[in-house]
Amino acid sequence: MLERQCTDWQFAREDLKRTPSVSCGWTVEREELDRAKACSLIYSASRKLQLPQITSASACVYLHRFFMRHSLKEYHHYNIAATCLFFACKAEESLRKLENFIPVIVYYASKGNRRAPPGTSEFEKWRTVILRTEVVLLQALCFDMVIDHPHAALIDLATTLQLPQRLTQMAWSFIADCMRLPLCIVHLPKAIACASVVLAAKVSSSEVADAAGRLMVDSVWIEKTGVHKSAVDEIVQWILGFYAREAQARKAAAAAAAASGHGSVADHSHLAGASRTTPTYSPTPPSTASPIPHALPSPSSDLK
């Protein structure tokens, strides 16, 4: 029987066309890029802070859930990225002190152009942003911190299908890219894990075999996992399409920088749907009065 599951945080892809950000004027593509950039900040800071991958993955899920209730117009994606990661450190029991956490966030959020040692005004601005926004984040998440990650599903797949270690490692990397997109609120963890294996197999020109060594086409082994192949196909096309859009955005930014005769690619990152984030981004602390969160779209009745 094919696996079906419904949670309050599982949506149809169509729901991404009516998020609070889209209602405030963002295009679906621009919101996707802003979310991805926020998750990239999460991953960069996580590596520097030597956080477990599960912590950064949880932070990405929190971020995607948050922006189903609040808009990018209300909250800058870097502010939410920092808050989600700091909260994930608590939720996943990988605590980091703000004195160590904030300087790393500032470094990557500003593309290395700012420093924020404790005691500076920049440090205090970020400290205020994180602590005030953390309350809003918890409210937006409805205090639901339980997450099923595709990483565990991948480990099960690797064992069941006896995947080669190199293929499994590549699939693990693709999961990290999947977490940058709102795939985790549209598709189930096992479907994302299956799609990561498909992507890894394509890149490495490998094929999945059964216990007897017989090669299995994707439709065979995917159905054996209890996942709809149509869901896996959608995830694969989604991530490949995003790679293409992201490359196009970088190319447009580079062309704009070259045409202007000065400035870096980051100065023109708003082109091709990217947000207007400068390399010297510095937050504005939110007011104590938080915007009322938007009601969640009704969960899809036909989850993949």
Side-chain angles (χ1 to χ4, degrees):
M1 178 179 293
L2 293 174
E3 179 178 308
R4 297 178 67 82
Q5 177 182 337
C6 182
T7 74
D8 290 339
W9 295 109
Q10 212 78 36
F11 305 95
R13 192 171 182 179
E14 287 295 309
D15 291 329
L16 298 178
K17 296 179 180 178
R18 52 191 181 101
T19 63
S21 298
V22 172
S23 298
C24 289
W26 264 245
T27 63
V28 173
E29 292 75 19
R30 179 183 173 189
E31 179 175 7
E32 185 176 76
L33 280 168
D34 281 349
R35 289 186 186 218
K37 288 166 68 176
C39 291
S40 293
L41 171 60
I42 287 172
Y43 277 115
S44 295
S46 294
R47 285 191 294 270
K48 184 66 175 179
L49 291 165
Q50 297 183 331
L51 293 171
Q53 291 189 33
I54 203 69
T55 300
S56 50
S58 293
C60 290
V61 174
Y62 295 148
L63 182 137
H64 290 305
R65 291 179 177 182
F66 180 88
F67 283 121
M68 294 304 289
R69 303 202 70 189
H70 288 284
S71 75
L72 285 152
K73 182 178 181 180
E74 296 169 328
Y75 293 96
H76 194 280
H77 51 284
Y78 279 177
N79 293 3
I80 300 306
T83 305
C84 286
L85 183 57
F86 186 66
F87 178 69
C89 287
K90 299 177 182 178
E92 300 296 344
E93 299 182 351
S94 49
L95 300 178
R96 295 294 186 274
K97 294 181 179 180
L98 281 173
E99 301 91 87
N100 301 322
F101 182 87
I102 290 176
V104 173
I105 289 292
V106 172
Y107 178 83
Y108 288 107
S110 67
K111 308 296 187 294
N113 289 326
R114 283 183 182 271
R115 300 293 187 274
T120 62
S121 60
E122 187 71 12
F123 180 92
E124 289 304 317
K125 281 196 292 185
W126 277 97
R127 180 179 181 277
T128 301
V129 163
I130 292 171
L131 296 182
R132 287 186 181 174
T133 309
E134 190 174 42
V135 177
V136 184
L137 173 65
L138 276 169
Q139 292 173 339
L141 297 177
C142 304
F143 296 86
D144 181 5
M145 296 164 282
V146 179
I147 300 173
D148 291 326
H149 286 296
H151 305 74
L154 175 59
I155 293 173
D156 290 340
L157 280 175
T159 302
T160 302
L161 300 174
Q162 298 182 342
L163 298 178
Q165 183 178 3
R166 180 170 177 271
L167 182 63
T168 303
Q169 290 173 339
M170 291 186 67
W172 191 277
S173 297
F174 276 115
I175 284 180
D177 276 351
C178 287
M179 301 304 290
R180 296 170 63 209
L181 302 174
L183 286 162
C184 57
I185 55 174
V186 175
H187 291 283
L188 298 177
K190 187 178 286 187
I192 295 174
C194 288
S196 298
V197 172
V198 171
L199 286 165
K202 289 181 182 294
V203 170
S204 63
S205 299
S206 302
E207 294 184 83
V208 178
D210 61 16
R214 294 186 296 267
L215 298 180
M216 294 189 292
V217 296
D218 290 347
S219 58
V220 172
W221 70 261
I222 290 173
E223 295 294 339
K224 286 180 178 292
T225 67
V227 173
H228 289 279
K229 186 175 183 298
S230 59
V232 175
D233 290 340
E234 181 179 50
I235 295 170
V236 170
Q237 293 306 312
W238 192 341
I239 192 72
L240 292 177
F242 176 74
Y243 287 158
R245 290 190 296 276
E246 194 175 39
Q248 184 181 23
R250 285 197 297 266
K251 184 177 180 180
S260 66
H262 59 83
S264 67
V265 170
D267 295 323
H268 301 272
S269 63
H270 62 282
L271 296 175
S275 65
R276 295 172 176 81
T277 302
T278 67
T280 55
Y281 174 73
S282 181
T284 299
S287 63
T288 53
S290 304
I292 299 174
H294 294 245
L296 288 168
S298 299
S300 170
S301 60
D302 186 26
L303 296 177
K304 298 178 176 63

